Amino acid sequence: MIEVTSIRNSEDFTTTRTEGKDTKQKDINRSDAKVDNLQETKLLNIVNAGGVQYRNVASNDAIVASRVAELLTEGWELKSVVSSMENKSTSFQMTRYIFIQ
């Protein structure tokens, strides 16, 4: 679980194209867009060669629910939840919890 603790302004990384070709994107340094300050909480793999690990699913749910409860107690408001799943050679699931204060 990753929480971004620094702020980025999208306007600092946005340019306008003219005639669909000319762009100033080369003037923007990608390394400036990277976030260095974040918090990371360990979650468990929910699938392995033996199949779905329900104990890990339950553990992850408890960890995420705990953090969501903490944020709500701190005065944050849960604005949106967005889930996605990527399934190629391995599965990758991501759920974004959008909070506002």
Side-chain angles (χ1 to χ4, degrees), residues 59-101:
S59 298
N60 288 348
D61 283 349
I63 292 168
V64 171
S66 170
R67 185 60 185 139
V68 169
E70 289 171 10
L71 291 168
L72 294 173
T73 301
E74 293 171 6
W76 290 88
E77 177 186 345
L78 180 58
K79 192 68 172 176
S80 178
V81 178
V82 181
S83 292
S84 65
M85 179 77 162
E86 180 71 28
N87 193 1
K88 297 204 183 207
S89 60
T90 61
S91 294
F92 179 81
Q93 181 178 354
M94 180 170 56
T95 303
R96 291 181 178 170
Y97 296 86
I98 311 299
F99 288 87
I100 60 172
Q101 192 171 36

Side-chain angles (χ1 to χ4, degrees), residues 21-34:
K21 297 178 184 176
D22 298 330
T23 181
K24 300 287 185 193
Q25 279 291 308
K26 292 179 184 173
D27 296 340
I28 296 174
N29 189 345
R30 289 182 185 268
S31 64
D32 292 340
K34 292 185 179 181

